[in-house]
Structure formats: structure tokens, C-alpha cells
Amino acid sequence: MRSGKFFGGIHPRYEKELSSGKAVESAPLPERLVVSLAQNLGASPKPIVKKGDAVKRGQLIAEPQGFVSVPLHAPTSGVVQAIDVFPHPVGADLPAIVIVPDGKDEWASGAGEERRVDGMDAGAIREIVRNAGLVGMGGAAFPTHVKLSPPKDKPIDILILNGAECEPYLTADHRLMVENPSEILDGAAWLAG
């Protein structure tokens, strides 16, 4: 290996043409959802529901356990079937909440409502982001509210929106930029403001 160069490896074909021209679609609800508690870097949230509980979409089902942790919400309405360990994409068995959808996909009271953030200060916006449970889509799933909380002596002066998708087949960011550019720009303006 020479200075600054890497030799070897492969450059796979991107295969983006399979989906880059197709609109985003909603997938049908599966018969059961295994909602992993390991969805963020840091401490996993603690379940606040139990087996047999009825839940609604957007309802809090697990509370964060520290600053680098986020809450977890029910992805749809249904009944909690189990809280146990299940296979996780990282290759380990990890705690999860199993929800059997009722097919109604009903929102919890107050969840899923549109909010205006015009005039809110940065702290209020960070709290909305934290309470929503937003994390980065990279392998670490780093909580977004932490990224928006720099130390006072290290202010953020550059905002970068990363829409690059280097992996083969992935076109979700591309489609969001094609289908929802005004929402992306609004979000950038709120974060930069």
C-alpha cells in the first residue's frame, strides 16, 4: 500500500435504476411487528407497556434511558403480544416488543398531528426531535437531538444535508428529495435558524 492510496476491493454496480424512477409506496401492515428496543446508539429505552396492552400508532411504548437514548413509539395500533428477546439485524438476540396489528392503524391522541415550528427557539425544536425518537440512518443510529446539542464552546456554523446514497439499490433519499423538496428545505431552514 502506498501513501494515500488503497488497492484492491470492488466497485459494485449501483443498480439504482430499479427504483430511482418509482414513487415511494406504503407497505401493507404485516401480521406482527417485532419492534426492537435497540434502535439507537446509547442506552435502549425501557418498555412502559406490557403483554396484552392495546396500543395506538404513535403511542409511547418505551421511555429513553439517558441523554443518548430516544423514546420508542408504536408503529401502528394493535395489541402487545410479547416483550422478549428476538433476533436483531446486528446478529444478536436483543429485547423487543411484539405488536399484533389490529388493521385499523389508529393514531394515539395527540400523536401524528402537524406542528408549526415558526418562532420556536432551538431548544423547543430539539425537544420535539427528541420526543419523536429521531435517529440517524447510519449504522450507529445516533440520536438526532444529540447532534443538535453541541457544547456551548463548539457552536454549529455549517449545516450539511447529506442525501448521498453510496450503497447499491438504495434510492430512498433520492425519492424523498424528488417528492418532498419543500419539506426538506423547510426542515433545513428550521435547523439553520
Side-chain angles (χ1 to χ4, degrees):
M1 184 146 120
R2 289 184 224 148
S3 175
K5 303 279 185 183
F6 175 80
F7 294 97
I10 62 166
H11 187 111
R13 293 180 3 187
Y14 287 122
E15 303 292 351
K16 308 253 184 213
E17 66 278 357
L18 296 172
S19 58
S20 64
K22 296 181 180 176
V24 173
E25 295 180 26
S26 294
L29 287 172
E31 292 181 14
R32 93 180 176 149
L33 295 160
V34 179
V35 184
S36 175
L37 293 171
Q39 292 198 24
N40 62 267
L41 180 75
S44 292
K46 180 181 177 185
I48 60 169
V49 293
K50 62 186 181 317
K51 183 178 177 179
D53 284 354
V55 295
K56 298 213 177 197
R57 182 178 180 188
Q59 177 182 330
L60 186 67
I61 59 174
E63 293 179 329
Q65 299 298 298
F67 181 62
V68 187
S69 180
V70 293
L72 191 59
H73 305 86
T76 190
S77 56
V79 176
V80 175
Q81 183 183 52
I83 301 174
D84 207 341
V85 294
F86 292 87
H88 188 277
V90 300
D93 290 343
L94 296 173
I97 298 171
V98 178
I99 297 173
V100 176
D102 61 13
K104 298 175 185 174
D105 202 30
E106 294 177 323
W107 282 97
S109 178
E113 294 177 358
E114 192 170 312
R115 298 183 199 191
R116 297 292 312 164
V117 296
D118 300 337
M120 283 188 184
D121 67 15
I125 293 173
R126 261 193 312 275
E127 192 63 20
I128 289 171
V129 168
R130 181 180 189 274
N131 290 339
L134 297 178
V135 299
M137 293 298 292
F142 200 79
T144 303
H145 72 277
V146 177
K147 295 177 186 181
L148 299 175
S149 304
K152 290 193 186 293
D153 63 333
K154 297 182 181 184
I156 296 171
D157 40 306
I158 297 174
L159 175 65
I160 298 171
L161 302 182
N162 181 358
E165 293 170 307
C166 302
E167 296 86 355
Y169 298 101
L170 298 184
T171 57
D173 290 351
H174 167 77
R175 289 309 309 170
L176 284 173
M177 289 184 280
V178 168
E179 296 178 35
N180 303 89
S182 61
E183 288 90 341
I184 293 169
L185 292 174
D186 285 347
W190 296 325
L191 291 173

